[in-house]
Amino acid sequence: MVAGIYERIQQRELRSNEDHVTYVSRVEQSILGLKTVLAVPHRRLVCCCRLFEVPDANKPHKQKLSALQREVFLFNDLLLHYIQT
């Protein structure tokens, strides 16, 4: 049984998912003009939500979906509202 487990692991390596520190560091690098360091030992990411603004049906032109995207990061000591451009 152990040999079978070893062979399956050898064929398909076990990998962990991205942790919150790696994700926060990547987001931090993408934000231009950020004055606060997000990836510090005392700061923990509590929740991350991707939100989309509801487009105005009365406007004649259509906006790209990416123009309506927002992200909200809730840390244990900070709330960050990020508008992707």
Side-chain angles (χ1 to χ4, degrees):
M1 183 174 78
V2 174
I5 293 171
Y6 176 78
E7 288 172 6
R8 286 191 299 274
I9 291 173
Q10 213 175 16
Q11 291 170 359
R12 195 175 62 193
E13 180 184 351
L14 294 175
R15 295 183 183 199
S16 64
N17 289 335
E18 185 178 70
D19 66 342
H20 75 279
V21 175
T22 307
Y23 182 67
V24 169
S25 296
R26 199 176 62 208
V27 168
E28 184 178 42
Q29 291 172 358
S30 70
I31 300 174
L32 299 174
L34 183 67
K35 304 289 186 216
T36 303
V37 178
L38 299 177
V40 291
H42 71 274
R43 184 167 288 143
R44 297 281 181 245
L45 180 63
V46 176
C47 181
C48 174
C49 298
R50 183 168 288 150
L51 308 171
F52 293 93
E53 186 178 327
V54 176
D56 188 355
N58 297 321
K59 288 187 177 177
H61 65 283
K62 299 210 180 227
Q63 292 179 308
K64 293 190 310 184
L65 189 60
S66 63
L68 304 174
Q69 183 174 330
R70 310 287 188 262
E71 290 191 72
V72 176
F73 297 91
L74 175 61
F75 294 91
N76 59 335
D77 64 341
L78 177 74
L79 177 67
L80 176 67
H81 177 233
Y82 177 53
I83 302 172
Q84 290 185 330
T85 55

